[in-house]
Amino acid sequence: MNNGNILLDVQDLYAGYQKLDILKGVNLQVNTGEIVCVIGPNGAGKSTVFKAVYGFIDIRKGRALFDGSDVTDYRPQDMLRAGVSIVPQLRSVFPQMTVEENLEMGMYLEKENKQVRKRIDEIFDLFPRLAERKKQKAGTMSGGEQRMLEIGRALMYRPKLLLMDEPSAGLAPLITKMIFEQIENLNRELGLTVLMIEQNARQGLEISDQGYVLQLGKNSFMGPSKDLLDNPEVRSAFLGG
């Protein structure tokens, strides 16, 4: 799904840690309604792009535009208010809290309890398995269920854009397939725009509209995912032949 409007526009991005730039002029665009996948080798700067865009680290040069506004200097809570949520790579559930309590944490900026309750009910409609386990402590759930909970929590604010950092990390192939199907369903049924980093490059490109390949902090290849899947250089270097 793609209505042609640029939702996220990352222009000539330089960012990194201490005095070292990991990103060296990265450009990236996400249109409303798309799934966009970023792939590349370890150390290419994929997660650094997310950290810079979401305000976890400073952008040294270049800028990021979201929904027509300059968000270059935004912090994470500013991005959340603007309509961007993130599902981090590492497990981020609160293990001693119940599923319901974890979802409540997804709306920590919201003071109206009725609104929080309404959103939790909507998430339970989207993910019946979470509804079945609403009183269960998150730490006792399987890896796939925890990932589902993280996605549900990220959707609590009804984001315009969902950032997902390696959604398949640490999951068995069958669970990975289920998570990718959920991402496709959210995109198709809710019109959710998704920008994801994926270690499983082939599967990530197969469910996405557009793809970007990063190497050494720079754009290497970009274009429709189908074209990248058919590109001999991309296939040889990143897709196992």
Side-chain angles (χ1 to χ4, degrees):
M1 184 189 302
N2 172 15
N3 69 12
N5 295 327
I6 298 174
L7 185 61
L8 178 68
D9 191 6
V10 174
Q11 303 173 358
D12 195 31
L13 196 66
Y14 283 74
Y17 310 95
Q18 284 81 50
K19 296 183 178 180
L20 177 65
D21 279 330
I22 303 298
L23 307 179
K24 302 170 184 177
V26 168
N27 294 283
L28 186 151
Q29 287 186 347
V30 181
N31 291 318
T32 301
E34 282 186 332
I35 299 177
V36 176
C37 183
V38 181
I39 66 171
N42 290 336
K46 303 185 299 296
S47 291
T48 306
V49 172
F50 275 24
K51 290 175 182 176
V53 168
Y54 208 68
F56 290 122
I57 62 174
D58 291 334
I59 293 173
R60 295 198 229 273
K61 181 183 174 185
R63 63 178 187 162
L65 304 176
F66 177 71
D67 203 17
S69 298
D70 192 325
V71 297
T72 305
D73 297 321
Y74 277 25
R75 299 293 93 188
Q77 65 180 28
D78 301 321
M79 293 300 290
L80 183 59
R81 287 193 180 100
V84 185
S85 290
I86 188 167
V87 178
Q89 177 184 354
L90 299 177
R91 285 286 176 270
S92 62
V93 299
F94 299 96
Q96 296 306 313
M97 290 184 178
T98 66
V99 166
E100 206 163 31
E101 289 167 341
N102 268 269
L103 291 177
E104 288 174 0
M105 293 299 292
M107 285 190 79
Y108 71 96
L109 297 177
E110 176 60 56
K111 305 304 181 186
E112 179 55 60
N113 287 336
K114 287 184 179 179
Q115 187 64 20
V116 175
R117 184 68 254 170
K118 179 183 177 183
R119 291 299 296 136
I120 289 175
D121 289 341
E122 290 175 2
I123 297 303
F124 283 158
D125 286 341
L126 284 173
F127 302 103
R129 188 176 300 189
L130 295 183
E132 295 168 1
R133 291 159 172 73
K134 62 183 178 181
K135 298 301 182 184
Q136 184 175 336
K137 287 188 176 181
T140 66
M141 300 169 74
S142 69
E145 290 167 341
Q146 289 186 32
R147 181 62 84 201
M148 191 186 303
L149 177 56
E150 289 169 330
I151 295 171
R153 189 177 62 198
L155 295 177
M156 284 288 288
Y157 259 107
R158 293 181 181 161
K160 299 175 185 176
L161 174 64
L162 181 63
L163 306 180
M164 305 189 76
D165 192 347
E166 298 199 3
S168 74
L171 299 180
L174 191 62
I175 304 302
T176 294
K177 183 175 182 292
M178 181 192 74
I179 293 297
F180 281 160
E181 287 173 352
Q182 288 178 336
I183 295 170
E184 286 186 289
N185 287 338
L186 291 169
N187 172 255
R188 183 170 54 249
E189 295 174 12
L190 302 182
L192 180 67
T193 306
V194 179
L195 173 60
M196 67 177 179
I197 296 166
E198 185 45 56
Q199 61 178 357
N200 189 324
R202 182 178 294 278
Q203 280 190 279
L205 290 175
E206 283 176 347
I207 72 162
S208 60
D209 301 290
Q210 303 287 331
Y212 288 81
V213 181
L214 296 188
Q215 288 183 283
L216 300 175
K218 297 180 180 180
N219 293 84
S220 179
F221 299 91
M222 66 188 80
S225 297
K226 183 179 183 304
D227 292 351
L228 295 181
L229 285 166
D230 293 337
N231 185 307
E233 291 181 74
V234 175
R235 288 170 60 184
S236 175
F238 305 105
L239 305 178

